[in-house]
Amino acid sequence: MFDLIRSFFSKNEKNKSVLIASPLVKIKSLDELFIFHINHSQYFQDSDHDLVLNHLKNKVNLNKLGEKLSVEQKKELGINTRLTITKSLVGVLSKKGLSLPDPKDALKRVYYRATFEHRKLEDLERMESLSIKEFKYFTCQDERDCTWCSKNHGAIYPVSGAIIDDINENCKCEWNRSILTAEITFD
């Protein structure tokens, strides 16, 4: 039992070299996740996905690139006139992206969905490497949680990448803010 606890907190390199024959959790790169969530978002025009990806990778900044919209232009588009928004950002947004209360949120939602998913995959991989078999799904339990997240708060799942598929398929939150905590049973 102490060996298991020690393996959690040990900085010993020999624990890091443990390999599992067929991993259940496959880490995707952050770029792959950005592409996945851009493609599944309805906020961007299909022709501009590469430009949105470059924004998320900090190669360009659509919030600063190009000329800012005038008050008249914002009124024409139905955008809050107090917001600062560039023509470059408006150019990549679909009608659904422009209809958000703050169109810049379209970028934020995709960024957070991808980065939070990447972190969950890392956590699952770490649990798997420590031979942890189950985890508990916890949500923030506030008004921003969707019905699916609220319903699954406290649910126990096997350690695998299947939870990520469930989240992507069922979660309707702006981005999934849940955490996965290891369920450790001592025999």
Side-chain angles (χ1 to χ4, degrees):
M1 177 165 84
F2 288 115
D3 290 335
L4 178 64
I5 294 170
R6 193 175 299 120
S7 72
F8 288 126
F9 300 105
S10 174
K11 293 183 181 177
N12 188 344
E13 291 301 315
K14 76 175 186 178
N15 289 338
K16 292 182 181 178
S17 66
V18 174
L19 297 176
I20 296 176
S22 59
L24 299 171
V25 179
K26 293 183 174 103
I27 294 287
K28 295 176 183 171
S29 73
L30 193 51
D31 286 355
E32 288 175 296
L33 294 171
F34 282 151
I35 291 166
F36 175 82
H37 288 290
I38 290 168
N39 289 337
H40 286 84
S41 169
Q42 297 175 353
Y43 298 132
F44 306 105
Q45 295 185 38
D46 292 338
S47 60
D48 292 316
H49 285 189
D50 288 339
L51 188 54
V52 174
L53 178 62
N54 284 331
H55 172 87
L56 296 173
K57 292 169 63 174
N58 294 316
K59 291 183 178 179
V60 297
N61 187 339
L62 292 171
N63 293 317
K64 294 181 181 178
L65 183 67
E67 191 179 318
K68 293 180 181 160
L69 292 179
S70 68
V71 172
E72 292 79 29
Q73 290 169 321
K74 289 184 243 181
K75 282 181 183 177
E76 250 179 58
L77 293 169
I79 297 173
N80 183 338
T81 57
R82 291 176 284 164
L83 296 175
T84 302
I85 189 164
T86 64
K87 287 183 180 179
S88 298
L89 177 57
V90 168
V92 302
L93 294 171
S94 66
K95 286 184 180 184
K96 188 166 184 169
L98 286 169
S99 69
L100 291 170
D102 185 348
K104 291 181 270 188
D105 283 350
L107 296 167
K108 183 170 75 171
R109 289 177 184 187
V110 170
Y111 177 82
Y112 284 132
R113 267 206 174 281
T115 55
F116 280 43
E117 181 176 328
H118 191 259
R119 181 59 195 194
K120 283 178 184 63
L121 286 166
E122 289 175 336
D123 291 344
L124 287 166
E125 183 183 54
R126 194 172 302 111
M127 284 183 223
E128 184 180 31
S129 73
L130 294 169
S131 299
I132 295 171
K133 304 290 185 219
E134 297 178 320
F135 66 89
K136 201 175 257 191
Y137 182 84
F138 284 107
T139 63
C140 296
Q141 292 190 296
D142 64 14
E143 69 283 348
R144 294 183 292 171
D145 285 347
C146 69
T147 306
W148 184 84
C149 285
S150 296
K151 186 179 94 176
N152 287 290
H153 175 77
I156 296 175
Y157 290 91
V159 171
S160 75
I163 186 65
I164 301 301
D165 295 335
D166 284 349
I167 290 169
N168 285 332
E169 194 173 305
N170 300 304
C171 176
K172 303 299 181 220
C173 300
E174 286 183 13
W175 61 85
N176 186 277
R177 301 170 300 133
S178 66
I179 60 168
L180 314 177
T181 60
E183 274 293 296
I184 301 171
T185 54
F186 297 101
D187 297 328

